[in-house]
Amino acid sequence: MAISICSIQLFTSSHTLPLLPSSSRSVFVRKRFSCSSSKYMEQQNENQSKFKEFPYVSVPHRELMVELVSTVENRLGTSLLPCNLPCNVQYFENQTATAHASLYVRSGHSSSQVDFILGSWVHCNLPTGGALNITSLSAYLRPSTDAPNFLIEVIRSSPTSLILILDLPPRKDLVQYPDYLKTFYEETQLGNQRQLLEKLPEVKPYFSSSLYIRALVSPSAILVSIETEASQAVRIDEIIKDHISPVAKVMLETWLDLCACAEKKLTEDESTALAKRDKIIKNKTIEIDLESSFPRLFGQEVANKVLGVLREIYNA
């Protein structure tokens, strides 16, 4: 699912905020942004380090995201190219320093089935007090395979509330291709992972306000909201550590084994049709959410810069 940004219409219009392409994709354009100065390279390294620090979230939340990113990078190894995003796209903020974001993108080598991985975090002070923190990781495959993509987003608008979106979004119609449903969702028993979380009393189903988003997720998708009492804020972190983390690791390992690292060749016609579908979804991601939320959050100049790079990546 070329969507690393899930429904950000989670809050009232006074603070509807963007979920940077997580799906959770720090922008790596297929061309290098070269600069010979050592200062530039130092800034590049600092910004990449800043992404992996996930500086505004709790320790269990940070450890979850760092482990997922590290697992993907370690498994895919040299099939991923370095992140070459411009410095001012790897990390950016608004003029008042009330909103900050980091993007991290690594494209796949030309011989890899992986198109790119995209990680991001967003931190924004809310007008009503407190802060919104969104972390995400997405992995996109090339149209040389029709296997699902990977997506995780963790959205926290208060110390006692959390929304989790975790899925292997399908890239084919599940009714028209029942073997696809069987291979990636039935035989893997991914639905069992959602059931593990649903047993917790604090966990409730989450329904995105976007019908488009709901149409893109798989039958095994985990979309849940978690709420605790104000006196039990520590419980959210316990749930992240003891329940969300194990489930996320199982789903990521399933994606790596069955999708990213498994050879599957399509015919030229199949690949062409799939590339067209992937492109539509990627462009819709920008159109339905980022084009409105980015300028509001970061200002038009910064938004234009970041969205321009994202469009180039999505359409490469």
Side-chain angles (χ1 to χ4, degrees):
M1 168 172 169
I3 152 178
S4 50
I5 299 171
C6 281
S7 169
I8 307 307
Q9 327 255 324
L10 306 173
F11 309 96
T12 64
S13 59
S14 61
H15 44 61
T16 298
L17 301 170
L19 194 44
L20 289 178
S22 120
S23 288
S24 177
R25 163 179 173 175
S26 177
V27 177
F28 173 94
V29 260
R30 304 278 196 280
K31 61 183 181 184
R32 292 182 176 272
F33 292 85
S34 59
C35 179
S36 59
S37 72
S38 59
K39 183 177 180 181
Y40 175 86
M41 295 307 298
E42 289 174 4
Q43 187 66 54
Q44 287 278 83
N45 293 334
E46 179 182 341
N47 287 340
Q48 290 181 33
S49 174
K50 185 172 294 186
F51 161 71
K52 294 184 179 181
E53 289 173 0
F54 294 97
Y56 295 100
V57 299
S58 66
V59 172
H61 188 163
R62 180 184 308 120
E63 289 177 344
L64 166 64
M65 297 306 301
V66 169
E67 183 165 4
L68 294 179
V69 173
S70 297
T71 297
V72 170
E73 293 189 316
N74 291 338
R75 279 289 301 273
L76 298 181
T78 56
S79 66
L80 293 177
L81 299 172
C83 175
N84 272 359
L85 290 177
C87 293
N88 56 6
V89 174
Q90 288 188 43
Y91 172 78
F92 50 97
E93 59 185 48
N94 62 7
Q95 290 185 340
T96 58
T98 56
H100 310 257
S102 179
L103 294 177
Y104 181 73
V105 173
R106 293 187 63 181
S107 287
H109 192 277
S110 59
S111 61
S112 172
Q113 292 190 136
V114 177
D115 190 3
F116 60 87
I117 64 169
L118 166 62
S120 71
W121 57 255
V122 178
H123 169 81
C124 179
N125 295 335
L126 296 175
T128 54
L132 173 67
N133 287 292
I134 304 170
T135 62
S136 66
L137 175 67
S138 299
Y140 297 73
L141 297 178
R142 288 197 170 102
S144 56
T145 176
D146 59 12
N149 293 323
F150 174 82
L151 168 68
I152 181 171
E153 292 181 346
V154 182
I155 307 166
R156 297 190 69 172
S157 58
S158 79
T160 59
S161 66
L162 176 151
I163 290 174
L164 171 67
I165 299 166
L166 177 59
D167 193 24
L168 274 60
R171 296 167 67 215
K172 295 185 73 171
D173 183 275
L174 301 182
V175 174
Q176 188 176 1
Y177 299 96
D179 287 345
Y180 191 93
L181 175 67
K182 181 179 180 181
T183 298
F184 295 110
Y185 304 105
E186 291 182 5
E187 293 180 345
T188 57
Q189 298 184 328
L190 291 180
N192 293 348
Q193 301 304 313
R194 182 183 64 245
Q195 293 171 15
L196 290 174
L197 292 179
E198 289 175 342
K199 292 178 181 179
L200 301 175
E202 299 90 347
V203 173
K204 306 296 181 187
Y206 165 68
F207 300 99
S208 171
S209 60
S210 169
L211 293 176
Y212 182 76
I213 298 300
R214 288 190 237 170
L216 292 178
V217 297
S218 78
S220 301
I222 297 175
L223 291 90
V224 296
S225 63
I226 302 173
E227 299 278 347
T228 65
E229 299 294 333
S231 60
Q232 297 180 323
V234 68
R235 177 62 177 152
I236 289 283
D237 284 333
E238 291 176 352
I239 292 173
I240 292 175
K241 180 180 179 181
D242 298 333
H243 301 281
I244 292 177
S245 183
V247 165
K249 292 173 188 175
V250 168
M251 292 188 68
L252 178 59
E253 289 291 347
T254 300
W255 179 80
L256 286 167
D257 292 339
L258 196 61
C259 304
C261 300
E263 289 290 330
K264 185 176 183 182
K265 298 298 182 183
L266 304 182
T267 66
E268 184 175 349
D269 287 346
E270 289 173 330
S271 182
T272 299
L274 185 59
K276 181 179 179 180
R277 181 186 186 276
D278 287 347
K279 184 176 181 179
I280 290 172
I281 295 175
K282 290 173 183 176
N283 286 329
K284 277 291 184 181
T285 295
I286 295 179
E287 176 187 327
I288 68 176
D289 184 62
L290 297 185
E291 285 184 349
S292 62
S293 58
F294 262 45
R296 190 164 57 246
L297 191 61
F298 295 103
Q300 196 64 56
E301 183 178 354
V302 172
N304 288 345
K305 190 181 308 174
V306 175
L307 293 178
V309 176
L310 284 174
R311 288 190 185 95
E312 186 171 350
I313 294 170
Y314 282 171
N315 291 288

